[in-house]
Amino acid sequence: MNLSDRIPFVGGDDEMRPFLERAATWATELEYGDVPRPVRDAAKSQLASTVGAAIWTTTHPLGPKIAEATDTSGDGATFLGGETAAPAEAAAGNAALSMALDFDDTVLGGHTGHSSVFVPLAYAEATAADGNRALLAQVAANEVAARLASAAAIGPFRGQQTAYIHAVAAAVGRAVVEGDDADTLADALGTALLQPPWPLDGAFLGSDAKVWTASEPIRAGIAAVDAARADLSGRQDLVEGEDGFLDSFSDLPLPEFLDGFGERWHTRAVTIKAVPGCAYVTAPVEAALEARGRLPRGRSEVGRVDVYGSLFATEVDNRTSRYLDRTESAVSTLTFTVAYNVAVALADGEHTPRQLGERVGDEAVWELADRVSLHHESSFTMAALESEVPVGAMLRRVGLPVLPYAAKTVGPKQTLRHLPTLARFVRKRPLPTDLSDADKRMGARVEVTTTDGRTVEATVEHPAGFAGKPLSEIRAVARKKCRTGLEAAGDGGPTARRKTDDLLGIEAASPVSLSGLLPGEESG
């Protein structure tokens, strides 16, 4: 019996069709007016955030290296590293820039923006499409890719390591911009998932190779569209079929997440990071900055720093620790390391990509990091698990198998220790249909103790820009990220604000072009 036999279908023939076929039909028939305004607003924030992350990287030492490795011999689309390139290379290069500092965004299902933003932008620019078409393609790419990742969320990969979503989003994004039909897109999706990437921890967490996590699948998704146009078929039942994608990439498949097109909008549950680094590092950094502002005036020497966070934060910090090499640490390692990020935020009173660049070589920052200790606090874990994002909505559908899954993932001891928390997920709860209230509470508390015995404490329960915050706040975080990135790249304040506002008003763009975002260029 294959996986599709186990899906509790209750509808008509349409629901019996394979996911890739249904997804392709929905995406190619989607019209701009079908997308609710809050979803469009969330997508525009994702757009500004993703572009802003890429621009910030151009000011970091990794930026010129990515530019040198990107093929700019072609033309047709803007590579934010300062050149024009063929659309596929522009999208892949821009995705590498946005991936590099972990300064990206998420929706329910993953970090889709690297592909769902940059592929539509590249092909819209190359074909002189307007902003409505680019934004429509972005939303369609988000919704298809995020559903697949949600269905496979209880498995070996989370976060940016779900790299396969970029092959899917790239195929959808290009096909929607260029007007392919449903059959072509379905074959392209079946081809794009021929050999999904399986990122290895050592490369992802411990080297600069991580910057290409989205870029290589993007190329595969784009090439899959060419293959489908040449009448090369893809396997359209590849997701649900026996020994197919879900059987291979999920420990506990949740195929019910493959439904709900046009009803459950994953784009709406967008999270925009206000500071670079893994989302599990965000609250510790924000709490550290708040605590620093409360320290007594004058020189206050820090004796020790205690950080209390969720199991997510302690897990990723433990996984990354083996790759730390102090001042020689890779940026990919630093973005997942709580102690360094808290220390540099306390030392500098800010946390921007600069703190992941020039400040890494300061041994004084590392000496302060040596005084930072990370502790697990169950209340933060419970709040994170009760949130829909990143995996709460999925865990609520697992039922009793959540216990052996936890034992496999974090070990029997941790599972027993947190049994009361995990037991709350044994009873299945309904799949959310409206994500307008979905939240992402990844909190932390920081206690700074000075050498003279004074202690200052700060707690961040729900970081700025995270899902569940008002869309106006999420937009403001995205706007600031893009604006400050442009300023860091050399634009003056008024120019940076104007360019950012033009990007957030992409519907008015006809045709779409990123060339105006390059330093010294005018938008429009």
Side-chain angles (χ1 to χ4, degrees):
M1 183 172 71
N2 66 30
L3 183 62
S4 60
D5 295 326
R6 305 195 294 268
I7 301 175
F9 290 121
V10 296
D13 292 341
D14 186 66
E15 290 184 336
M16 293 297 293
R17 295 160 64 201
F19 168 67
L20 297 182
E21 184 180 336
R22 288 185 287 113
T25 299
W26 177 82
T28 55
E29 293 180 355
L30 185 66
E31 296 183 0
Y32 190 77
D34 297 333
V35 183
R37 181 170 181 174
V39 176
R40 298 199 303 264
D41 289 344
K44 287 185 285 186
S45 292
Q46 180 192 38
L47 171 71
S49 168
T50 307
V51 171
I55 291 170
W56 262 112
T57 300
T58 66
T59 73
H60 184 278
L62 283 178
K65 296 177 183 179
I66 292 170
E68 184 176 354
T70 297
D71 181 2
T72 56
S73 59
D75 57 27
T78 300
F79 168 53
L80 292 170
E83 303 282 348
T84 59
E89 292 305 315
N94 287 333
L97 291 173
S98 63
M99 175 72 69
L101 305 182
D102 213 324
F103 203 10
D104 55 358
D105 48 82
T106 65
V107 299
L108 178 62
H111 299 242
T112 55
H114 307 289
S115 49
S116 67
V117 167
F118 282 124
V119 172
L121 286 177
Y123 281 90
E125 186 171 1
T127 61
D130 62 23
N132 281 4
R133 174 58 60 174
L135 196 66
L136 181 70
Q138 177 188 334
V139 171
N142 276 338
E143 296 300 320
V144 176
R147 274 170 172 72
L148 185 62
S150 297
I154 311 302
F157 298 127
R158 290 201 310 271
Q160 291 176 333
Q161 284 186 296
T162 55
Y164 56 81
I165 61 176
H166 302 298
V168 172
V172 174
R174 180 185 181 187
V176 171
V177 167
E178 295 191 321
D180 287 293
D181 61 28
D183 288 340
T184 301
L185 177 54
D187 279 330
L189 290 171
T191 301
L193 287 173
L194 163 70
Q195 40 192 0
W198 190 281
L200 300 178
D201 266 13
F204 181 83
L205 296 173
S207 79
D208 291 340
K210 179 200 164 186
V211 305
W212 306 115
T213 303
S215 302
E216 293 309 311
I218 281 173
R219 292 187 176 96
I222 288 171
V225 175
D226 288 323
R229 290 174 181 173
D231 206 25
L232 290 167
S233 65
R235 187 77 187 188
Q236 296 184 15
D237 66 349
L238 190 61
V239 171
E240 307 96 325
E242 187 174 4
D243 297 326
F245 177 83
L246 287 183
D247 277 348
S248 302
F249 273 74
S250 179
D251 296 327
L252 299 169
L254 299 170
E256 58 264 46
F257 274 95
L258 301 176
D259 295 322
F261 283 113
E263 298 175 0
R264 185 183 67 251
W265 295 92
H266 287 238
T267 304
R268 178 62 182 81
V270 69
T271 285
I272 306 297
K273 296 176 189 171
V275 297
C278 171
Y280 310 146
V281 172
T282 302
V285 166
E286 289 189 1
L289 291 171
E290 187 176 332
R292 186 182 191 272
R294 296 179 184 174
L295 287 170
R297 295 191 173 218
R299 291 189 63 84
S300 296
E301 185 174 351
V302 175
R304 62 173 291 141
V305 182
D306 292 286
V307 181
Y308 300 86
S310 70
L311 196 58
F312 293 95
T314 56
E315 177 201 5
V316 75
D317 193 78
N318 288 337
R319 282 177 59 200
T320 307
S321 60
R322 74 180 74 176
Y323 305 111
L324 272 177
D325 189 19
R326 296 182 77 82
T327 59
E328 300 301 316
S329 297
V331 174
S332 60
T333 308
L334 295 175
T335 58
F336 291 95
T337 304
V338 172
Y340 172 80
N341 287 283
V342 166
V344 77
L346 286 171
D348 294 357
E350 67 172 19
H351 196 283
T352 74
R354 298 184 188 96
Q355 277 62 50
L356 295 174
E358 60 195 55
R359 301 294 288 129
V360 178
D362 189 341
E363 184 59 39
V365 173
W366 288 98
E367 290 174 2
L368 179 54
D370 291 338
R371 287 171 260 163
V372 178
S373 299
L374 177 62
H375 316 277
H376 174 244
E377 186 167 303
S378 59
S379 64
F380 290 122
T381 297
M382 192 65 230
L385 292 176
E386 287 287 2
S387 299
E388 286 79 8
V389 189
V391 293
M394 296 74 159
L395 286 175
R396 296 172 196 178
R397 299 296 302 156
V398 172
L400 189 60
V402 74
L403 299 179
Y405 171 73
K408 175 184 175 181
T409 304
V410 300
K413 289 184 178 179
Q414 287 277 35
T415 300
L416 287 173
R417 185 178 303 170
H418 303 292
L419 192 58
T421 296
L422 293 168
R424 298 179 66 168
F425 292 89
V426 169
R427 180 178 62 85
K428 286 189 178 183
R429 283 175 278 179
L431 183 70
T433 56
D434 182 4
L435 296 178
S436 59
D437 294 325
D439 63 2
K440 184 175 184 176
R441 293 183 179 272
M442 305 297 302
R445 185 175 77 258
V446 171
E447 294 179 358
V448 181
T449 304
T450 63
T451 52
D452 59 4
R454 290 174 289 184
T455 298
V456 174
E457 176 184 317
T459 300
V460 172
E461 302 277 1
H462 193 181
F466 276 36
K469 293 288 191 176
L471 273 177
S472 58
E473 177 186 314
I474 292 172
R475 176 187 173 93
V477 172
R479 185 176 188 271
K480 181 179 179 181
K481 179 191 298 188
C482 190
R483 174 182 58 78
T484 55
L486 288 165
E487 290 174 353
D491 279 333
T495 299
R497 285 192 292 274
R498 184 171 60 256
K499 289 182 178 182
T500 301
D501 289 342
D502 286 346
L503 193 61
L504 285 165
I506 190 172
E507 306 106 308
S510 184
V512 167
S513 175
L514 288 183
S515 62
L517 292 176
L518 299 175
E521 299 291 334
E522 285 300 318
S523 60

